[in-house]
Amino acid sequence: QVQLVESGGGLVQAGGSLRLSCAASGGTFSSYFMGWFRQAPGKEREFVAGIHRSGGTYYGDSVKGRFTISRDNAKNTVYLQMNSLEPEDTAVYYCAAKVGYSYYYMATSFASWGQGTQVTVSS
């Protein structure tokens, strides 16, 4: 099973940018569908973005036009570039991996998860 480690979270002012990284090991990274989810206190885990092994991308409605997901199969890493951040983006962000891409927007369809990285956006 693939192991995932996120990095890049932190504190940023509204309107600022952050780039999250997720390094994978122990599996065939290029074969996985990779996703980013987030969870704010008291809320359910929410789909943010996903990227197919072919490079096709998918986004949650709340981040379209502001966030960009990408992957580097040579480095076994997936990225989430977050621009125009808003206080509502404050959450723990999780990287996840799955085989296939059915129900990619559902957290329960992913088998492997990272430990999460905190993103805090101040107003």
Side-chain angles (χ1 to χ4, degrees), residues 3 7 40 61 75 77 81 93 101 103 105 107-108 115 117 121:
Q3 288 79 48
S7 61
D61 288 342
K75 295 183 178 180
T77 302
Q81 177 67 44
Y93 282 70
Y101 70 102
Y103 304 105
Y105 48 89
T108 53
Q115 82 289 350
T117 185
V121 184

Side-chain angles (χ1 to χ4, degrees), residues 33-34 49-59 69-71 101:
F33 182 98
M34 300 300 297
I51 185 165
H52 192 267
R53 59 182 183 175
S54 66
T57 58
Y58 309 82
Y59 295 95
I69 188 171
S70 61
R71 66 191 298 162
Y101 70 102

Side-chain angles (χ1 to χ4, degrees), residues 10-94:
L11 174 64
V12 64
Q13 288 189 332
S17 299
L18 281 175
R19 188 176 83 152
L20 305 183
S21 300
C22 172
S25 62
T28 306
F29 177 77
S30 60
S31 69
Y32 291 109
F33 182 98
M34 300 300 297
W36 284 97
F37 288 77
R38 66 187 182 187
Q39 189 165 20
K43 295 188 176 182
E44 292 186 357
R45 196 162 293 192
E46 174 190 17
F47 172 74
V48 174
I51 185 165
H52 192 267
R53 59 182 183 175
S54 66
T57 58
Y58 309 82
Y59 295 95
D61 288 342
S62 62
V63 307
K64 282 180 182 176
R66 299 188 298 123
F67 291 11
T68 303
I69 188 171
S70 61
R71 66 191 298 162
D72 186 336
N73 289 337
K75 295 183 178 180
N76 290 351
T77 302
V78 62
Y79 304 97
L80 184 68
Q81 177 67 44
M82 305 185 295
N83 298 329
S84 301
L85 283 161
E86 304 167 353
E88 293 74 23
D89 295 316
T90 295
V92 177
Y93 282 70
Y94 297 91

